[in-house]
């Protein structure tokens, strides 16, 4: 009977990635679907303690022990969702509400040729968007300026441009009036942390090879690389994360399981 050789298993990996952030007490809070991640990789580095014999003229190694292991990795994600952007910024994502409260006396000192964001405050630095009924009035004297002659507006972004050569002269104190549209919107801001801790799961759907699901019960995610805000080309934005796989107190650092098949 001929020798039976092992069948090679070739792998073209695909799948979905999920991140489950820890809360302040290191409890898992629920998995975030990261969407399309075109690349997730792991790397293992070990450090050895070595011993050399001094019993003969030739110094020979007679002992070698692995004393340290470090498991790191990288992840690329091109699903630029608000929750993923918050992960990259190690910040927060929330749904904010814009109220349809009319404003009549937002005071600004303006310069011809400059543009001004309506509703910008310390609490709301991006200001209001989608506004109607924009007016510009002189604080002193009550002169009502004319749209298209003295100023231009972008109602979608809530911006006012003071026209050079119009009736609004340099360093004029004006009052902006407008009415925001009521609605909700996503808001993301950066945080004070430099990394996030949680669990990482990869559910495989491979193009070739058997599906094996990966689970890392404790990892740190650190943003890396550049985040493109304006680009000339057509490539989609990719967020890059550095991964460090840690060993929890009562578990292993990395798990990789196949799937049971009914007998």
């Amino acid at each position: 009977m001929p020798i039976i050789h092992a069948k090679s298993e070739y792998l073209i990996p695909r799948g979905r990635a999920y991140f489950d952030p820890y809360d302040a007490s290191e409890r898992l809070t629920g998995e975030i679907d990261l969407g399309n991640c075109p690349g997730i990789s792991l790397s293992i580095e070990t450090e050895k303690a070595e011993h050399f014999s001094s019993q003969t003229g030739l110094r020979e190694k007679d002992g070698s022990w692995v004393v340290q292991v470090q498991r790191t990795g990288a992840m690329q994600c091109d699903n630029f969702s608000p929750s993923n952007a918050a992960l990259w910024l190690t910040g927060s994502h929330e749904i904010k509400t814009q109220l349809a409260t009319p404003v009549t006396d937002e005071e600004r000192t303006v310069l011809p040729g400059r543009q001004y964001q309506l509703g910008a405050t310390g609490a709301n630095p991006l200001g209001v968007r989608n506004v109607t009924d924009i007016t510009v009035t002189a604080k002193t004297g009550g002169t009502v300026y004319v749209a298209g002659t003295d100023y231009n507006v972008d109602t979608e972004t809530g911006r006012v441009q003071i026209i050079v050569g119009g009736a609004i002269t340099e360093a004029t104190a004006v009052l902006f009036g407008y009415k925001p549209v009521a609605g909700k919107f996503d808001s993301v801001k950066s945080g004070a942390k430099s990394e996030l801790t949680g669990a990482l799961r990869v559910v495989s759907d491979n193009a070739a090879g058997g599906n094996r699901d990966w689970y890392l019960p404790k990892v740190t995610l650190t943003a890396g690389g550049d985040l493109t805000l304006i680009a000339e080309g057509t490539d989609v934005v990719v967020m890059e994360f550095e991964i460090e796989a840690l060993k929890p107190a009562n578990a292993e650092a990395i798990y990789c399981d196949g799937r049971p098949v009914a007998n």
Side-chain angles (χ1 to χ4, degrees):
M1 184 174 181
I3 294 174
I4 299 174
H5 298 284
K7 179 182 178 181
S8 298
E9 296 187 36
Y10 303 110
L11 182 65
I12 301 177
R14 301 284 191 270
R16 297 181 181 273
Y18 303 86
F19 181 67
D20 193 344
Y22 284 160
D23 63 13
S25 301
E26 284 204 358
R27 290 188 297 255
L28 297 172
T29 57
E31 296 182 354
I32 300 171
D33 185 346
L34 298 178
N36 191 56
C37 294
I40 299 177
S41 60
L42 294 176
S43 176
I44 296 179
E45 296 180 7
T46 58
E47 181 178 317
K48 291 184 176 181
E50 300 176 335
H51 183 271
F52 291 83
S53 171
S54 58
Q55 294 178 333
T56 63
L58 178 64
R59 186 170 180 261
E60 295 182 282
K61 185 189 295 186
D62 62 358
S64 178
W65 306 273
V66 175
V67 295
Q68 178 175 306
V69 61
Q70 182 173 339
R71 304 174 180 94
T72 59
M75 177 171 66
Q76 296 81 43
C77 183
D78 60 13
N79 172 31
F80 195 71
S81 66
S83 59
N84 284 355
L87 290 178
W88 196 86
L89 293 169
T90 58
S92 60
H93 166 230
E94 62 179 315
I95 304 297
K96 287 187 174 180
T97 300
Q98 178 171 282
L99 302 176
T101 304
V103 175
T104 59
D105 57 354
E106 184 174 300
E107 182 178 344
R108 300 289 292 272
T109 298
V110 299
L111 298 172
R114 305 288 179 88
Q115 297 185 31
Y116 299 89
Q117 178 65 51
L118 299 176
T121 64
N124 184 28
L126 270 70
V128 295
R129 271 87 61 200
N130 286 335
V131 297
T132 60
D133 305 333
I134 297 176
T135 61
V136 182
T137 306
K139 179 184 177 183
T140 302
T143 301
V144 177
Y145 297 109
V146 180
T149 300
D150 302 319
Y151 65 91
N152 294 320
V153 300
D154 185 337
T155 58
E156 182 179 356
T157 60
R159 296 178 61 79
V160 177
Q161 177 189 48
I162 307 302
I163 297 176
V164 176
I168 304 175
T169 57
E170 189 165 340
T172 299
V174 301
L175 301 176
F176 290 129
Y178 55 89
K179 182 180 179 181
V181 173
K184 297 181 182 296
F185 59 95
D186 292 293
S187 177
V188 175
K189 61 182 178 182
S190 59
K193 294 182 178 180
S194 59
E195 62 184 18
L196 294 172
T197 305
L200 181 67
R201 184 188 304 275
V202 176
V203 179
S204 295
D205 187 8
N206 296 328
N211 288 319
R212 295 180 179 88
D213 300 326
W214 295 79
Y215 188 65
L216 287 65
K218 187 175 184 179
V219 303
T220 61
L221 285 187
T222 307
D226 300 327
L227 182 68
T228 303
L229 302 184
I230 296 178
E232 182 179 359
T234 58
D235 294 338
V236 299
V237 170
V238 176
M239 292 174 287
E240 298 182 0
F241 295 89
E242 297 175 2
I243 301 170
E244 185 168 15
L246 306 175
K247 184 184 184 305
N250 299 298
E252 298 302 327
I254 301 174
Y255 294 88
C256 177
D257 284 355
R259 298 173 187 171
V261 178
N263 294 328

